[in-house]
Amino acid sequence: MWDFKMVTLLLPFLFSAIFAQGMIWDKLDLGKWRQTERNRKQAYNSLSDQQNTGLTEWTSWFNIDHPGGNGDYERLEAIRYYYRERVCARPVAMEARTTDWVPATDTGEVVHSSLDKGFWCINKEQPHGRSCSNYHVRFQCPPVNAYWMDWSDWGPCSATACDDVGIQARQRKCVTKEPMPLLLTPACHGAHIERRECSTPPCQARWGPWGVWGSCSATCGGGRRTRRRSCIRTSDTVQCEGRPTEVQKCGKKPCPVACQRVCPEGQPSDDCSLCVCEGHVLHGDVLSARGVPVTGARVALASQPNIVRAHTNSKGLFKMPGVCSGSNTLLLISKEKFTPLTISTSNNGSKTSWVHAVMKSSEKPYIVKHPEDKVRYEGQRAILCCKAMGSPKPEKYQWYHNGSLLDWKEYKYEEDLVLRDLQVKQSGQYYCKAISQTGSIKSTPAFVTVIGKDTPACKATPEPHLVKLPLDCAQPETGSMFYDAGRCPHNRCAGDLDYDMRCRDTGGFCCGVKTMETRKINCGQYSLPIKVVTECACQSCVEPKVLVRGRVVAVDDNEPLRFGHIFMGKERVGTTGFQGGFTIQVSPGTERLVVNFVDPTQKFIDTVKVFIFDKKGGSVYHDVKVMRKVEPVDIDAAETNTIYLGEIKGEDPIGQLVIPPNSFHKTSGEVYEGTVKASVTFIDPRNITTAAAAPGDLNFIDNEGDTLPLRTYGMFSVDFRDEMNQEVLGAGAVQVLLDTEHVKMQEHIPTMKLWSLNPDTGIWEEESNFNYTKAVAKGSGRNKREERTFLIGNMEIRERRLFNLDVPESRRCYVKVRAYMSDKFLPTEQLKGVVITLINLEPKPGFSSNPRAWGRFDSVITGPNGACLPAFCDARVPDAYTAYVTAIMGGEELEAAPSTPKMNPNIIGVSQPYLDKLDYQRSDHTDPQLKKTAFRINLAKPDPNNLDETNGPIYPYQGMIACENAPVDANHFRFFRVEKDKYEYNVVPFEENDLTTWTGDYLSWWPNPQEFRACYIKVKIHGATEVMVRSRNLGGTHPQTRGQLYGIRDIRSTRDMFISNTSAACLEFKCSGMLFDQAAVDRSVIAVLPQANCRRTSINGLLQEYLIKHPPVLQNNESHAFSMLAPVDPLGHNYGIYTVTDQNPRVAKEIAIGRCFDGTSDGFSREMKADAGVALTFSCPKRTINRESLFQRLQTNPGQTMSQMARDMRESEGLRVGRGDSQVVAFPPGQQGRSQIRRTSNRRRAAVRTRSRQ
């Protein structure tokens, strides 16, 4: 004990002595000690031992959550998970502030905190619908007297050999805050040294670089040379994989010696190029896949493909003398329109041997996968995919950027093009070109957008977007009828993709609405709510379903193609309905939609259509016309048969088919002998009504892979069948003769060709050229025969294809057309998704201008800047080509700008004098009884030296970009919808022409961007004039929308042409159903308000019964209006309610309006039938303007006036009829009563003024 006491007593003296000697504690050393202490305190904040943490009072600030979702959660457990070395075990205090440095207690938000759990704030607990702020927190930890310094780095591993195990250690030092006796150790808990197991890298062996090649062992005839490499290894236990030496052939130049070819049979030829067998003859037969002999096929040895050894005869036979038939002999058989075939031979030991070859028809390449648009940030990567099919398959692909071929050595592309480390300069247009032995094809272009690192992909500030207000809503401050609601540009964004090397990006991003705010528009007498876009950001793109809908009917009498088969390629995808209707869903990535309609009853010819569709519009409607098949005639297969093409009464046939005897064959290849049922249907271009039934899109692919137009002189479909079992027959060596008298433009004769339509691709493929010949033809309805000059071509009918007499045409232009909502032609009211069709017309022989024959047709869908339609044009003769143009939207024909009674350039949209040169005429120009839904123009190519012709509406073919980007004030032709005095207002703005503008909001008129339900109610009006009828649509039963306005619809009633003083209105209202969150049903509150002096006289009994059975029932005490909760069920015409659901809102509305006009649930009409399918009836008598007022009559004749009033009251049986011509507007909740009081006070003031004047 005394030793311990003595040491304890001596320690202070020892320290005093040391201090007194000044060994450490001078001023300089004291400053160093203080600096060291500060460094230690700073280092203490990041110590890893939790029990010793806290030398400083507070930790750093932590923010591990953001206030999205349910709120902001700064959990202590989560903080320790991410920062376990920075928070002590038991904090004594905590502080929370927002990221804007506002204390939590000053935010006014409901928050929670606990030293055990941390800090949290919940969104749904906040007042007034607020969201939690973004908070960060820090903690206060208790101070300690001793702590560990940081661990040192790990020491070296004790093992030195490769792939061995050893030990390594690290240390730390304990530091105390209080002075301690020299012999006492500071009280730091834990070990001051730590050890762990370590290992050395595995033993490796790798090859060094190759040495140079040695010299060749021979200078000719083939030699060898070698090179070597060394193995570099870290241990003798491992070896390098592979060979240390490499041998390469060299000295390939043949030595001047005798032929060394070794022939298994026969002997080498004189030039030593092949083996020949003297006296041996190789026979062969070549048939098509249908068993028909192939005539004129070239036969060569595969080793010498350019040397033709034989040709097949008319029976498909050939022979090759002297050719050996061993297994080493390969034959190459080729012919135009067939896929080259390589076939092996076999030796039967005799002097003759046979080979049997079956050739497949060749097929030009066609694209089945097109590259798709990509958006990337600078430095990212992208892949563009392209795939083509054909027979034979494409053997080479080329990629182009902005029209320039990309260097294969740099990009190493095949079918796919990979773009790495993208730069802004690489933005632009990319397309691929597939090349095979039969031709080339180019894909549709894809656009790659590369966004700079500092460039926002989506601007947060919305673009201006003016929304038209109701007619009774003129803003007092400005008097404007428009309000800027803002919109986002909806361009593609480079979002966070899960994988960026897919051919088609999944979950694309678009610039869309991030936030909206509700504002009130001051309309003077009332206020109107509107949702305004305040901020844009990259959002998931709205991907609407793309549909093609329509109806297939006969071109002559509109008989529907009932239950016809619909094919896309070889796959059957659907069936037409009883009325010929069809719906086809377009797969994502589809660029060309080719559909084949086949009639199983053989009443109509097979019709191939290339449909245009709108990727943004959801659904496009097409009227498909098909040709009725000509009744078959009996012909004898053993005789020469002639079938005339284009037999129109009083006119000469355009051409004829000449079928030699014994040309028919069965599918097995067997020659058919007997009676043939022959049906040849000719689509005559001299009959303009047949233009709509023309199949395909009259385009072909040239050798460079470009799509070019054709001009037709007639199409024909052939159908040959066995008389007994109706088996389809083929025919070979058929001649096609075209009468040159029908070729108006003589320059077309040398380029005339015979084409056939590929039903899988919709592309016309060349069959043969034409040559001159003399032949006897029918006279022009004179029952005599005369010699004519014909163009003759040959073809083989291998399958049921459509054939075409066409010429390629290079004189091309573009015609600019726009469609509008009304005849006001406002630039802001352009219609998108309208199908514009242009039929090229040409003069018939003997006529300078009319009547005309059609030459080709094209259809284009209008976009935000109209449409540019390709057409043939001529610079020398203005009327060499003319065009017939129509427009259709959802089955409705739009009306063209009028040309009578006076040609008005401001209405037509084309300035003078170019308008006179184009000779614009609407279809009713000479006959007012005709429809007004088309116009005809001369296709005069614009003169580049004439300033009046350089601003449209016709652009040269090279000016396609100028046509597509033409400003709205440039010359263009116009169509418009024949719907006057129609108005639609949505609280949440939405463009029905572009489904990508849809915004998810409780007050959205359409709650689902992929399914649109249109609802209409039919209102009958008794009165001498048409009346504007309004629907006011409010939320009804949903808690989020109850009492809030969805929108307003105004429509003027349409006169019934057969009932006097009667009109009716098909009024749209907000359908009941699920809102965008799909959580609950909202039964909308609908108010029908005629905007005139009207009185409700009747309600459809079935509708009233339905509303009573589906409560709650709204009170209808006001006789000038009608209110109801919109039905949830899709009621029909018996109720006066018309409901249609479609993937496109315009199509749904057009169908519903057509049914409403017709008054049926499945019909369609554009003539109002006011007595059919009515829901409500109002009486709207015309007020007499010069009638005395009640006050005037009371003053002039009070007794008679009082008696008349009593009689009126008795006659009305107590019903009160409102005589005032009140103005009915859409009042938000709580404002209607005040406006009624104002109107009452106004009437009282007017009465007082009247008395004062009297």
Side-chain angles (χ1 to χ4, degrees):
M1 292 296 293
W2 71 271
D3 293 332
F4 176 77
K5 293 180 178 179
M6 290 294 293
V7 170
T8 304
L9 294 172
L10 289 174
L11 278 175
F13 296 101
L14 291 174
F15 278 115
S16 300
I18 294 171
F19 295 156
Q21 292 177 8
M23 297 174 62
I24 299 175
W25 297 99
D26 56 14
K27 292 183 180 180
L28 179 61
D29 293 336
L30 179 61
K32 292 181 179 179
W33 180 84
R34 290 174 177 170
Q35 182 64 36
T36 303
E37 285 301 306
R38 282 195 298 269
N39 294 339
R40 288 178 178 177
K41 289 181 179 181
Q42 292 174 359
Y44 169 75
N45 290 331
S46 59
L47 289 178
S48 61
D49 193 342
Q50 293 183 2
Q51 70 178 0
N52 294 329
T53 304
L55 185 57
T56 58
E57 287 188 349
W58 291 94
T59 65
S60 58
W61 291 95
F62 302 104
N63 186 358
I64 62 170
D65 189 24
H66 294 280
N70 296 327
D72 191 18
Y73 295 84
E74 309 296 338
R75 297 287 189 180
L76 185 57
E77 181 182 0
I79 295 174
R80 283 206 177 98
Y81 177 80
Y82 291 107
Y83 308 101
R84 61 188 182 88
E85 298 179 354
R86 296 172 60 180
V87 182
C88 56
R90 296 181 180 82
V92 297
M94 176 175 56
E95 183 181 3
R97 290 177 178 265
T98 67
T99 53
D100 295 330
W101 210 248
V102 179
T105 56
D106 296 341
T107 60
E109 299 174 1
V110 179
V111 297
H112 307 271
S113 63
S114 170
L115 290 176
D116 296 330
K117 297 180 179 180
F119 176 89
W120 63 97
C121 175
I122 303 174
N123 284 338
K124 65 181 181 180
E125 295 180 353
Q126 306 310 313
H128 310 297
R130 292 177 52 183
S131 297
C132 293
S133 303
N134 189 8
Y135 288 92
H136 54 188
V137 298
R138 65 175 182 171
F139 299 92
Q140 188 178 35
C141 296
V144 295
N145 294 327
Y147 60 93
W148 288 109
M149 293 293 290
D150 289 338
W151 284 101
S152 65
D153 295 333
W154 287 101
C157 189
S158 60
T160 57
C162 63
D163 202 13
D164 197 3
V165 179
I167 299 296
Q168 61 181 160
R170 64 176 182 175
Q171 296 180 351
R172 60 179 177 175
K173 184 178 180 182
C174 180
V175 179
T176 179
K177 182 178 178 182
E178 300 293 338
M180 296 294 292
L182 290 176
L183 301 182
L184 291 183
T185 302
C188 293
H189 297 281
H192 75 285
I193 189 169
E194 187 177 25
R195 296 178 177 85
R196 70 176 181 183
E197 186 180 88
C198 60
S199 61
T200 55
C203 299
Q204 296 180 347
R206 61 180 179 84
W207 289 109
W210 284 102
V212 297
W213 287 102
S215 58
C216 188
S217 61
T219 58
C220 68
R224 300 287 187 272
R225 63 176 183 173
T226 60
R227 63 176 181 175
R228 293 178 174 80
R229 58 181 176 177
S230 301
C231 181
I232 303 172
R233 52 186 179 173
T234 59
S235 174
D236 295 336
T237 60
V238 292
Q239 302 291 334
C240 294
E241 295 183 2
R243 297 181 178 180
T245 60
E246 187 177 39
V247 180
Q248 188 183 61
K249 293 181 180 180
C250 60
K252 297 180 181 180
K253 179 180 178 181
C255 296
V257 294
C259 178
Q260 301 296 319
R261 178 178 293 276
V262 178
C263 295
E265 53 181 339
Q267 58 187 7
S269 60
D270 294 339
D271 60 356
C272 200
S273 61
L274 72 160
C275 295
V276 296
C277 295
E278 297 292 340
H280 180 269
V281 179
L282 176 63
H283 295 269
D285 63 333
V286 182
L287 303 177
S288 68
R290 296 173 56 89
V292 181
V294 178
T295 303
R298 298 180 294 275
V299 185
L301 295 174
S303 59
Q304 296 177 328
N306 297 325
I307 303 176
V308 179
R309 305 280 177 174
H311 288 86
T312 57
N313 59 18
S314 60
K315 297 183 179 180
L317 302 177
F318 71 89
K319 63 179 180 179
M320 299 174 65
V323 176
C324 301
S325 59
S327 58
N328 295 329
T329 302
L330 297 178
L331 300 182
L332 176 64
I333 305 175
S334 60
K335 186 188 177 182
E336 292 80 5
K337 303 189 181 306
F338 287 91
T339 302
L341 176 66
T342 301
I343 188 172
S344 61
T345 62
S346 60
N347 188 359
N348 57 9
S350 64
K351 291 294 184 179
T352 60
S353 57
W354 279 83
V355 293
H356 178 73
V358 177
M359 300 189 71
K360 295 181 179 179
S361 298
S362 65
E363 192 175 43
K364 285 193 172 185
Y366 58 94
I367 303 293
V368 296
K369 181 187 291 184
H370 295 264
E372 301 203 18
D373 296 348
K374 298 293 176 72
V375 181
R376 295 290 188 270
Y377 285 113
E378 189 175 4
Q380 291 184 331
R381 59 181 183 174
I383 184 172
L384 299 176
C385 302
C386 178
K387 186 177 182 181
M389 299 295 290
S391 181
K393 291 183 178 180
E395 56 195 21
K396 184 180 179 181
Y397 286 85
Q398 293 177 341
W399 281 91
Y400 293 80
H401 176 219
N402 292 335
S404 300
L405 178 64
L406 295 177
D407 186 3
W408 182 88
K409 294 181 180 179
E410 179 180 355
Y411 290 93
K412 300 292 189 296
Y413 53 73
E414 294 297 338
E415 294 181 1
D416 302 336
L417 172 65
V418 178
L419 302 173
R420 307 179 190 277
D421 191 20
L422 282 165
Q423 304 298 316
V424 176
K425 64 181 180 181
Q426 291 179 274
S427 298
Q429 186 184 84
Y430 290 81
Y431 66 86
C432 79
K433 179 179 178 181
I435 304 172
S436 73
Q437 298 178 16
T438 57
S440 305
I441 184 68
K442 292 179 181 178
S443 70
T444 56
F447 290 88
V448 175
T449 303
V450 182
I451 303 173
K453 294 181 178 179
D454 299 328
T455 304
C458 176
K459 293 183 179 179
T461 304
E463 297 177 347
H465 177 57
L466 297 179
V467 175
K468 187 177 180 181
L469 302 179
L471 295 176
D472 55 359
C473 180
Q475 302 172 74
E477 298 85 0
T478 61
S480 173
M481 299 292 295
F482 292 88
Y483 192 85
D484 185 5
R487 68 178 173 187
C488 299
H490 296 285
N491 56 286
R492 304 281 294 190
C493 294
D496 295 328
L497 301 174
D498 55 349
Y499 185 60
D500 58 356
M501 295 296 284
R502 289 190 177 95
C503 295
R504 177 180 176 84
D505 290 340
T506 58
F509 295 88
C510 298
C511 188
V513 177
K514 181 180 181 182
T515 57
M516 302 181 74
E517 69 178 21
T518 303
R519 296 180 185 173
K520 296 289 185 180
I521 303 175
N522 183 8
C523 296
Q525 295 183 349
Y526 66 98
S527 61
L528 193 66
I530 188 171
K531 291 271 190 173
V532 177
V533 179
T534 57
E535 185 178 3
C536 302
C538 282
Q539 311 281 342
S540 296
C541 293
V542 176
E543 297 290 349
K545 290 183 180 179
V546 180
L547 297 179
V548 169
R549 302 185 57 175
R551 187 165 176 254
V552 187
V553 295
V555 71
D556 52 1
D557 60 0
N558 286 331
E559 178 186 351
L561 172 60
R562 294 188 170 99
F563 311 117
H565 297 168
I566 304 174
F567 288 87
M568 292 177 62
K570 301 292 190 299
E571 181 183 359
R572 180 179 168 185
V573 298
T575 304
T576 60
F578 182 76
Q579 296 295 334
F582 66 92
T583 300
I584 300 173
Q585 183 168 345
V586 183
S587 303
T590 301
E591 296 292 339
R592 183 178 173 87
L593 183 62
V594 182
V595 180
N596 189 9
F597 295 95
V598 178
D599 181 13
T601 66
Q602 297 301 312
K603 186 183 296 184
F604 306 102
I605 68 172
D606 298 351
T607 303
V608 178
K609 288 292 183 181
V610 181
F611 286 129
I612 55 177
F613 54 92
D614 188 356
K615 293 183 178 180
K616 291 185 177 181
S619 176
V620 175
Y621 188 90
H622 291 273
D623 269 325
V624 180
K625 305 291 185 180
V626 293
M627 287 289 294
R628 193 179 301 278
K629 185 176 292 186
V630 173
E631 289 295 328
V633 296
D634 295 339
I635 60 176
D636 190 349
E639 298 179 355
T640 299
N641 295 280
T642 300
I643 300 176
Y644 289 95
L645 304 175
E647 293 188 282
I648 298 180
K649 185 178 180 179
E651 298 195 26
D652 297 334
I654 286 181
Q656 52 189 271
L657 295 181
V658 179
I659 307 173
N662 302 318
S663 296
F664 294 99
H665 55 79
K666 300 181 179 180
T667 55
S668 62
E670 177 186 356
V671 176
Y672 176 76
E673 299 176 353
T675 302
V676 178
K677 291 285 187 181
S679 173
V680 178
T681 304
F682 188 70
I683 302 177
D684 199 326
R686 295 173 295 182
N687 182 1
I688 194 172
T689 61
T690 64
D697 56 0
L698 282 178
N699 291 322
F700 76 101
I701 307 298
D702 69 355
N703 293 331
E704 292 299 319
D706 292 311
T707 302
L708 300 178
L710 292 170
R711 187 272 187 222
T712 184
Y713 281 89
M715 308 176 188
F716 58 94
S717 173
V718 296
D719 188 14
F720 301 139
R721 293 181 181 268
D722 186 342
E723 181 187 32
M724 301 301 294
N725 57 15
Q726 294 297 306
E727 178 186 356
V728 178
L729 302 175
V734 177
Q735 290 184 338
V736 183
L737 280 71
L738 173 63
D739 191 345
T740 57
E741 290 293 327
H742 294 281
V743 183
K744 173 68 175 175
M745 297 183 176
Q746 296 300 309
E747 61 269 26
H748 284 173
I749 293 178
T751 58
M752 185 72 67
K753 295 183 180 181
L754 180 64
W755 307 77
S756 66
L757 181 64
N758 188 329
D760 296 336
T761 64
I763 294 294
W764 292 91
E765 299 176 353
E766 182 180 339
E767 284 285 332
S768 70
N769 294 318
F770 280 94
N771 300 308
Y772 278 101
T773 187
K774 296 283 187 179
V776 177
K778 280 187 177 182
S780 178
R782 300 181 294 273
N783 295 323
K784 68 175 185 178
R785 303 173 68 83
E786 57 186 26
E787 188 176 66
R788 296 279 186 90
T789 301
F790 283 88
L791 293 175
I792 183 171
N794 298 305
M795 71 176 186
E796 177 185 338
I797 302 175
R798 301 185 299 272
E799 53 188 328
R800 292 170 60 195
R801 279 198 176 189
L802 192 78
F803 298 90
N804 195 357
L805 308 170
D806 271 27
V807 292
E809 181 58 271
S810 58
R811 291 173 290 186
R812 293 170 286 168
C813 290
Y814 284 98
V815 180
K816 186 71 173 186
V817 180
R818 300 179 189 269
Y820 294 87
M821 294 182 183
S822 68
D823 56 1
K824 297 181 179 65
F825 304 117
L826 299 177
T828 58
E829 295 184 349
Q830 290 194 67
L831 292 174
K832 292 183 283 187
V834 179
V835 180
I836 310 291
T837 300
L838 184 148
I839 302 175
N840 254 111
L841 304 177
E842 296 178 14
K844 295 202 306 185
F847 297 91
S848 61
S849 58
N850 285 309
R852 310 179 80 89
W854 62 273
R856 72 170 280 114
F857 61 92
D858 287 278
S859 295
V860 177
I861 293 181
T862 58
N865 198 35
C868 293
L869 290 99
F872 297 145
C873 59
D874 193 272
R876 295 175 298 171
V877 182
D879 66 343
Y881 291 100
T882 60
Y884 184 83
V885 187
T886 61
I888 186 171
M889 185 179 73
E892 174 198 1
E893 291 180 305
L894 273 63
E895 196 168 295
S899 58
T900 56
K902 182 181 179 180
M903 196 82 68
N904 189 334
N906 295 324
I907 295 178
I908 298 173
V910 181
S911 60
Q912 294 285 20
Y914 199 20
L915 181 59
D916 288 337
K917 185 177 181 180
L918 299 179
D919 192 21
Y920 176 91
Q921 292 185 12
R922 195 167 69 175
S923 48
D924 66 337
H925 185 80
T926 56
D927 186 357
Q929 300 300 320
L930 295 178
K931 297 171 69 175
K932 307 174 183 179
T933 55
F935 66 83
R936 185 196 63 78
I937 56 171
N938 292 335
L939 292 170
K941 188 175 182 179
D943 182 359
N945 299 319
N946 188 341
L947 185 62
D948 295 328
E949 301 181 10
T950 58
N951 194 33
I954 299 180
Y955 296 82
Y957 191 74
Q958 297 79 7
M960 178 181 178
I961 302 300
C963 179
E964 292 180 343
N965 298 332
V968 72
D969 58 352
N971 288 339
H972 62 275
F973 296 107
R974 295 168 171 174
F975 285 93
F976 63 94
R977 296 186 66 181
V978 192
E979 287 191 3
K980 300 181 180 179
D981 297 326
K982 175 184 176 183
Y983 175 73
E984 297 179 356
Y985 175 78
N986 297 325
V987 171
V988 180
F990 172 63
E991 299 177 39
E992 294 178 355
N993 297 320
D994 186 357
L995 302 189
T996 60
T997 61
W998 181 85
T999 303
D1001 192 273
Y1002 283 106
L1003 293 177
S1004 295
W1005 184 273
W1006 308 98
N1008 187 346
Q1010 294 190 345
E1011 185 176 80
F1012 298 88
R1013 187 182 181 197
C1015 297
Y1016 283 79
I1017 184 170
K1018 191 167 185 178
V1019 182
K1020 183 178 179 181
I1021 303 293
H1022 286 301
T1025 60
E1026 294 90 349
V1027 174
M1028 288 292 292
V1029 185
R1030 168 173 292 183
S1031 71
R1032 184 183 65 208
N1033 305 268
L1034 305 175
T1037 59
H1038 197 286
Q1040 295 288 342
T1041 62
R1042 186 178 294 116
Q1044 298 186 57
L1045 184 68
Y1046 284 113
I1048 298 172
R1049 295 294 186 268
D1050 289 340
I1051 186 68
R1052 184 174 294 279
S1053 60
T1054 303
R1055 177 69 57 193
D1056 189 318
M1057 304 303 296
F1058 301 97
I1059 305 176
S1060 61
N1061 294 330
T1062 303
S1063 61
C1066 292
L1067 180 64
E1068 185 184 9
F1069 63 88
K1070 176 72 170 68
C1071 303
S1072 292
M1074 291 285 188
L1075 300 186
F1076 86 102
D1077 61 355
Q1078 300 295 307
V1081 172
D1082 182 29
R1083 290 194 64 186
S1084 312
V1085 175
I1086 311 300
V1088 179
L1089 307 163
Q1091 307 290 284
N1093 179 36
C1094 299
R1095 174 174 58 90
R1096 188 181 70 249
T1097 58
S1098 67
I1099 304 175
N1100 185 297
L1102 291 177
L1103 175 61
Q1104 195 166 16
E1105 181 181 354
Y1106 175 89
L1107 297 176
I1108 293 173
K1109 291 181 178 181
H1110 296 79
V1113 179
L1114 299 184
Q1115 298 297 324
N1116 281 285
N1117 296 326
E1118 298 180 355
S1119 61
H1120 68 276
F1122 173 77
S1123 300
M1124 69 174 181
L1125 286 176
V1128 177
D1129 302 309
L1131 306 181
H1133 68 285
N1134 291 329
Y1135 299 80
I1137 303 294
Y1138 302 87
T1139 305
V1140 174
T1141 302
D1142 193 86
Q1143 277 71 25
N1144 185 293
R1146 293 167 310 163
V1147 174
K1149 293 168 72 170
E1150 291 301 325
I1151 296 174
I1153 291 173
R1155 293 176 181 177
C1156 180
F1157 268 63
D1158 195 54
T1160 62
S1161 294
D1162 56 359
F1164 190 90
S1165 175
R1166 278 299 172 193
E1167 293 183 358
M1168 178 59 73
K1169 301 175 183 178
D1171 273 350
V1174 176
L1176 303 172
T1177 303
F1178 286 85
S1179 175
C1180 303
K1182 186 176 182 181
R1183 296 185 61 187
T1184 303
I1185 300 176
N1186 59 358
R1187 198 172 90 178
E1188 289 184 323
S1189 68
L1190 174 62
F1191 300 103
Q1192 291 172 335
R1193 285 186 287 138
L1194 285 173
Q1195 287 184 346
T1196 58
N1197 197 343
Q1200 184 179 355
T1201 302
M1202 295 298 293
S1203 300
Q1204 182 65 39
M1205 290 176 59
R1207 283 195 299 272
D1208 291 343
M1209 293 177 65
R1210 287 193 297 271
E1211 289 175 2
S1212 62
E1213 296 179 351
L1215 295 177
R1216 179 172 57 86
V1217 180
R1219 298 292 185 183
D1221 189 10
S1222 60
Q1223 182 184 20
V1224 182
V1225 295
F1227 294 100
Q1231 294 191 6
Q1232 187 169 358
R1234 293 192 297 272
S1235 297
Q1236 289 175 339
I1237 294 172
R1238 286 197 297 270
R1239 289 200 297 270
T1240 303
S1241 61
N1242 290 337
R1243 288 196 293 269
R1244 290 174 179 171
R1245 285 194 295 268
V1248 172
R1249 286 194 298 267
T1250 302
R1251 294 193 193 100
S1252 63
R1253 286 195 299 269
Q1254 294 176 349

